[in-house]
Amino acid sequence: MSLTRRRAEESGAQEPGRRPSIGAGERPPGPRSVGWVPTGAGRAAGLLLLVAVGALIPLFGPRVALDGTGEAVAPGAGGIALLRTVLLAALCVPVGELFVVWLARRVPGGPRQTPRGWAAGAAAAGCVAALGLASVVATGNLVPGSPADIDVGGLYATRDGRLALLEVNAFAAVALCARSRRPLTQVVPLTAIVVAEALRAHPTVEDSPLVGTALTFVHLLCAALWVGGLLSVLRTLGTRAWRATAGAGAALLGLYARVAAVLLAAVTATGSWSTLRRMPPGTVLDQLTETAYGRALLAKVLLMAAVAALALRARLRLRHVTDPLDACAPARAELVVLGVVVALSGLLTALPVPIRW
């Protein structure tokens, strides 16, 4: 044994040019671990699994929610609910990306790099879903049995048909704007989609349709900012530029958390008001358990309570850690639960509206 190697062993130092040995169960030397970071294949597999599970809610939700209520189910309610879910999710992605770009610019000393956008792909999926919903409207709100059943010209003759065409064209415009040099131009078609959804949800025959439209517009816009913003923030925090900039990730997550608290309050207020407009206070408890719409709404309310708890936990953890990735675990769980909430929202649009007693 050489003199240099003997002295290194006696002092506990490592011989130059030789890697340290790692025992079983020991971690390699280096910076403190911040938890498991999934690879691209792992993220893709997890995303596909979540999408598959989420699709089960709108597909089989109408049958489960209507069981024992005595209400009639509309033909193809499961397929319509799935298309509505895809449309709502496709709206959240580009809205959230624009929102986080705006937040990132307000982080002092933060990098300007953001992950590659998903807006174009999401808008393409939303356009396909909007086309499917337009085909349903073109056949008198029935699932078409063949292309011959679809009256495309008839879409221009009805309010619902014109709104369906507006959503198709708006999603196509979002996909084109997302790939352009000016992605901020997505704001106009995205606003058109939110307006069209708010108008569609409140036909002119209902009481005070403008009030209901305004409530739905605020509710849907705030929900899209919340859900899409959380997805985009988590993706941004995982990039190398934001991980390498000290304090930038924590500042971005903290800034989002403060805005998300306001969005949660707005979503809760508008959702409660809309519920009371459709379910008078004296009948709410009965309709929450005896109608399909009420059951789906009750499940959504319970999940929103879980989301609020997860958001609070992430915010409290962010105050006591220096690395924002330590606060991402509850935030990821929050995003998963929010995905289920979006699926329930799509389900609600396909269920019969409760009767005002």
Side-chain angles (χ1 to χ4, degrees), residues 15-243:
E15 184 179 353
R18 184 180 178 185
R19 294 183 178 180
S21 59
I22 303 173
E26 296 180 1
R27 293 183 178 181
R32 183 179 60 86
S33 174
V34 293
W36 176 70
V37 178
T39 62
R43 287 193 296 267
L47 181 61
L48 288 176
L49 179 60
L50 291 175
V51 170
V53 173
L56 298 177
I57 296 175
L59 279 176
F60 299 99
R63 184 183 305 174
V64 175
L66 288 163
D67 184 37
T69 63
E71 298 171 292
V73 58
I80 294 174
L82 180 59
L83 291 175
R84 285 285 172 203
T85 301
V86 174
L87 188 147
L88 294 176
L91 174 65
C92 292
V93 174
V95 170
E97 289 183 357
L98 292 176
F99 176 43
V100 173
V101 168
W102 179 79
L103 290 178
R105 292 176 179 175
R106 280 149 183 79
V107 175
R112 293 294 178 262
Q113 294 87 348
T114 54
R116 185 175 181 179
W118 291 351
C127 186
V128 173
L131 279 171
L133 293 169
S135 67
V136 173
V137 176
T139 55
N141 291 326
L142 298 174
V143 179
S146 65
D149 298 334
I150 302 176
D151 181 15
V152 179
L155 289 173
Y156 296 93
T158 64
R159 177 177 180 268
D160 288 346
R162 291 191 293 270
L163 292 175
L165 287 175
L166 175 61
E167 292 185 350
V168 172
N169 293 325
F171 270 116
V174 171
L176 293 176
C177 293
R179 293 187 177 276
S180 69
R181 296 182 179 181
R182 296 182 178 180
L184 285 178
T185 53
Q186 298 175 79
V187 171
V188 175
L190 287 172
T191 304
I193 295 171
V194 178
V195 172
E197 276 296 296
L199 290 171
R200 181 205 58 80
H202 298 278
T204 55
V205 295
E206 80 170 24
D207 296 336
S208 304
L210 290 180
V211 175
T213 298
L215 289 174
T216 302
F217 177 84
V218 176
H219 185 83
L220 184 56
L221 179 60
C222 292
L225 288 170
W226 185 14
V227 179
L230 181 57
L231 173 63
S232 187
V233 163
L234 292 177
R235 292 188 63 221
T236 301
L237 292 180
T239 60
R240 182 177 301 177
W242 284 87
R243 290 201 307 265

